[in-house]
Amino acid sequence: MTEFNPSNIIVTGGAGFIGSNFAHWVADNKPGVHVTVLDALTYAGNRENLDGIPEGRMTFVHGDICDADLVDRLFSEADACVHFAAESHNDNSIADPAPFVRTNVEGTFTLLEAARRHGTRFHHISTDEVYGDLALDDPARFTKAASDLLVRAWHRTYGVAATISNCSNNYGPRQHVEKFIPRQITNVLSGIRPKLYGDGLNVRDWIHTEDHSSAVWAILERGRIGETYLIGADGERNNIDVLRAILEEMGQGPDDFDWVRDRPGHDRRYAIDSTKLRRELGWRPARTDFAEGLRDTIAWYRDNPGWWQGAKEATEAKYAAQGQ
Ligand code: NAD
Ligand code: TDX
């Protein structure tokens, strides 16, 4: 197997949750690699997420992945692109799907065209939800699935050196307070009762974001071109168990939460079989102790109130208007 050793990679969406964790992971683990973050700084992006990455290891470019001229210029100087930029939140996609179509579909198309022109190695970050057990009935899932298909077509038709990974639910530091785990942690820290959708029995397969980063690197370096790899760490848990673990860790009672209106079309269960990734590339998750990962995540939100307090009020107002 020939290894691909990039020295200058573009990380789209690198000011968001998973992209910023990946940029830090590269800075910490791959000394010879320079990262160019391309991020539009939407409500979900935060320049501070990249603080601490040494100068000289990273360049930040504030821009849109749909900007073909900008993308073309960046691709002319890079040897790989890892594509995290997306509209990522299901509840938002139900309220307003337009930005999802634009960023997830048109944005991915714009990047693929640049990869085709410049022969750039391309890794597309996708999600387990594209394999949801229902029809493609919510816009977040639909637009991510559409972007996966574009990547496959650009590989098969134009020979773009692309790989895809579909990962399970991530958790860890710097995740937006709209998402399940940070929402509940910051609710408790703000004196708001946590909110559980539906019957609380929906299952998600949790992976620490550091393990997602190491898996993406393994695929970029050693993955077979044209292949799709599933990333997961055997972390299936239902929502009420996760919530009760948070409550216990934060000194609350097991019933100190509110039941709220369910998400329309709420997927019952996501689960990932990562055997192919483990067998072919020898990848193993390192942060498999969920209780410990949760403790560290709670500590991060407790220690960084300035990071999340600004977004908290607006997020809760939006949820309240939806009865959630
Ligand atoms: P996020 O919402 O935290 O971050 C998305 C980032 O993309 C933000 O920094 C935002 O500013 C940027 N962005 C959005 N539109 C852009 C545009 N048009 N141009 C440039 N930048 C733009 O998302 P996340 O949770 O970090 O997810 C990242 C990727 O991982 C997504 O593709 C998502 O589908 C995928 N994924 C997420 C999970 C999860 O559990 N969160 C699981 C599997 C896969
Ligand atoms: O307040 C809440 N209460 C609640 O019960 C919130 C915000 C969520 N939930 C439930 C809904 C889900 O069953 O928790 C579960 C997790 O919800 P989210 O954090 O919104 O994640 P999910 O919908 O599973 O989507 C995630 O995985 C697939 C990512 O956010 C997506 O980007 C990824 O594509």
Side-chain angles (χ1 to χ4, degrees), residues 12-21 38-46 49 61 63-67 83-89 99 102-104 107 124-129 140 144 147 165-171 174-176 178-179 206-207 209 212 231:
T12 71
F17 164 49
I18 304 178
S20 68
N21 277 288
L38 171 59
D39 198 296
L41 298 180
T42 68
Y43 81 96
N46 186 341
N49 288 347
V61 178
D64 195 314
I65 59 168
C66 298
D67 179 343
H83 173 33
F84 292 93
E87 286 293 334
S88 66
H89 194 44
R102 186 174 176 278
T103 289
N104 299 3
H124 179 63
I125 302 294
S126 191
T127 155
D128 55 2
E129 77 180 314
K144 278 313 274 196
S147 67
S165 56
N166 299 82
C167 189
S168 60
N169 280 59
N170 281 226
Y171 75 102
R174 297 187 287 271
Q175 186 169 30
H176 196 278
E178 68 192 356
K179 304 294 198 303
W206 293 98
I207 183 173
T209 186
H212 188 181
I231 305 173

Side-chain angles (χ1 to χ4, degrees), residues 88 90 127 129 169 180 183 195 197 204 239 263 266:
S88 66
N90 291 299
T127 155
E129 77 180 314
N169 280 59
F180 180 56
R183 184 182 184 204
K195 306 284 184 269
Y197 294 173
R204 294 296 182 267
N239 292 341
R263 173 184 286 170
H266 192 177

